[in-house]
Amino acid sequence: MNAIEIEHLKKYYGEVKAVDDISFTVGRGEFFAFLGVNGAGKSTTISILCGRQPRNGGSVKIEGMELDSHADEVKRRLGVVFQNSVLDAPLSVEDNLRYRAALYGITGGAFQKRLGELTELFELKELLRRPVGKLSGGQRRRVDIARAIVQEPEILILDEPTTGLDPQTRKSVWGIVHRLRAEREMTVFLTTHYMEEASDADRVVILDGGKILANATPLELKNAYTGDYITFYGADEGELRAAGLVAERVGEGLRVEVKDTAEATALVLKYPALFRDYEITKGKMDDVFLNVTGKKIEG
């Protein structure tokens, strides 16, 4: 069974087709990345998934249940971390978690047990009594995720969860997310502006203008929309030109784009003297996104 099944989803605002007849599935336990520039339709799709706004057509199933006829049960299966924190700044971390848990009937001893689990997982012991408004951005993000999973949902939706965070804090947040996936087989649905985060996904959908332009694994997308790159160190442009290679300067090296790894291997065999110090890398998800949409994603 799939965790999420969307068929022919449509959402229009007058003449604007925010979501224009899209279909895709997310497997149970999968790490799924949903990519697009601002206005592509990502947040609208998430709002419909969460039952926050109606749609103009199509069907949505969560864990095999129709959204329309099982709205309350569906909402319990979902945990959502929105772009902007929804925590109550004046309240303490513990009170934010307590009031969220109460919405799902988790009170008294059951809440204390759950609070202990979340405190250990997110390292919140020193933060529980502090007002959320006094926390750093990274600390608030940890509490946002703790709040989102207080009822132990099967699916965690992360809408640009690390925007504005420093690299170390981003790494910490992702450490927690991957631990949740490993320990609880949780499905993760991600939107992000950081393409390296999407590189770890099991499957990627690229959305533009409300339509799906690509739907595949990161490796399939890289093979289809980018080539490989050979970066030469210690070589000069004259040597490469003599071999018929066009290079661009990248840092301390000269980079040559090739069709695939097979072409790179053929060059190694044909011009071994050039390959004194080099590396071969695949194109990045930034290259995939640009080649699919013709746009650079802002991040």
Side-chain angles (χ1 to χ4, degrees):
M1 183 188 297
N2 290 313
I4 299 172
E5 296 180 12
I6 288 180
E7 293 186 1
H8 303 294
L9 185 64
K10 301 173 184 176
K11 179 61 180 180
Y12 305 150
Y13 298 97
E15 298 297 315
V16 177
K17 296 181 178 180
V19 178
D20 190 12
D21 195 11
I22 67 173
S23 300
F24 64 89
T25 61
V26 180
R28 182 175 286 173
E30 192 171 71
F31 177 18
F32 177 88
F34 199 49
L35 306 181
V37 297
N38 289 335
K42 306 186 305 297
S43 294
T44 299
T45 302
I46 287 175
S47 292
I48 293 170
L49 275 176
C50 299
R52 300 181 74 196
Q53 63 174 294
R55 59 190 183 276
N56 293 102
S59 66
V60 176
K61 288 184 180 179
I62 305 295
E63 294 289 338
M65 297 178 291
E66 292 281 356
L67 176 60
D68 294 337
S69 55
H70 297 83
D72 290 340
E73 183 59 26
V74 163
K75 288 177 182 178
R76 190 176 184 91
R77 302 292 181 95
L78 297 176
V80 187
V81 177
F82 295 102
Q83 286 177 254
N84 299 314
S85 178
V86 294
L87 299 169
D88 291 313
L91 298 181
S92 69
V93 169
E94 182 173 344
D95 283 342
N96 268 275
L97 297 176
R98 184 190 310 279
Y99 297 142
R100 179 65 176 177
L103 295 177
Y104 295 96
I106 305 170
T107 60
F111 169 71
Q112 290 302 323
K113 180 176 182 295
R114 186 64 179 138
L115 179 64
E117 294 168 348
L118 295 172
T119 297
E120 179 181 358
L121 177 61
F122 292 92
E123 300 180 357
L124 301 177
K125 186 176 181 180
E126 304 301 321
L127 306 179
L128 289 178
R129 301 291 187 270
R130 291 175 60 182
V132 164
K134 300 292 186 181
L135 302 182
S136 69
Q139 291 169 335
R140 279 197 303 274
R141 228 22 174 174
R142 279 155 49 198
V143 180
D144 271 319
I145 300 174
R147 177 187 181 276
I149 68 165
V150 72
Q151 83 279 19
E152 300 186 81
E154 284 92 344
I155 301 168
L156 177 61
I157 297 175
L158 301 170
D159 191 6
E160 298 182 21
T162 59
T163 298
L165 300 182
D166 62 84
Q168 184 175 353
T169 304
R170 285 169 56 198
K171 183 178 180 180
S172 174
V173 167
W174 277 110
I176 293 170
V177 172
H178 290 312
R179 182 176 168 186
L180 288 170
R181 289 192 64 222
E183 294 181 355
R184 309 184 188 200
E185 298 184 353
M186 184 176 286
T187 304
V188 174
F189 185 113
L190 169 74
T191 76
T192 182
H193 280 162
Y194 298 108
M195 291 294 97
E196 71 271 22
E197 294 180 346
S199 295
D200 295 329
D202 297 309
R203 180 160 292 273
V204 175
V205 161
I206 297 177
L207 196 69
D208 192 41
K211 288 185 174 294
I212 291 176
L213 301 188
N215 181 351
T217 69
L219 180 59
E220 289 169 343
L221 290 173
K222 289 175 183 179
N223 286 338
Y225 294 101
T226 71
D228 288 0
Y229 294 95
I230 308 171
T231 304
F232 294 89
Y233 301 100
D236 61 57
E237 293 184 57
E239 287 182 286
L240 299 180
R241 279 198 301 270
L245 302 176
V246 178
E248 63 172 333
R249 174 68 62 179
V250 178
E252 298 181 0
L254 290 167
R255 190 173 74 171
V256 174
E257 184 174 1
V258 293
K259 180 181 177 182
D260 52 29
T261 306
E263 183 177 340
T265 302
L267 287 172
V268 173
L269 296 174
K270 187 174 183 180
Y271 303 105
L274 288 177
F275 291 84
R276 298 183 294 272
D277 187 7
Y278 69 97
E279 63 181 351
I280 300 175
T281 57
K282 286 203 170 288
K284 299 183 182 300
M285 286 301 297
D286 299 81
D287 303 312
V288 169
F289 190 88
L290 178 60
N291 290 332
V292 170
T293 66
K295 303 171 183 176
K296 288 186 178 181
I297 198 162
E298 298 299 326

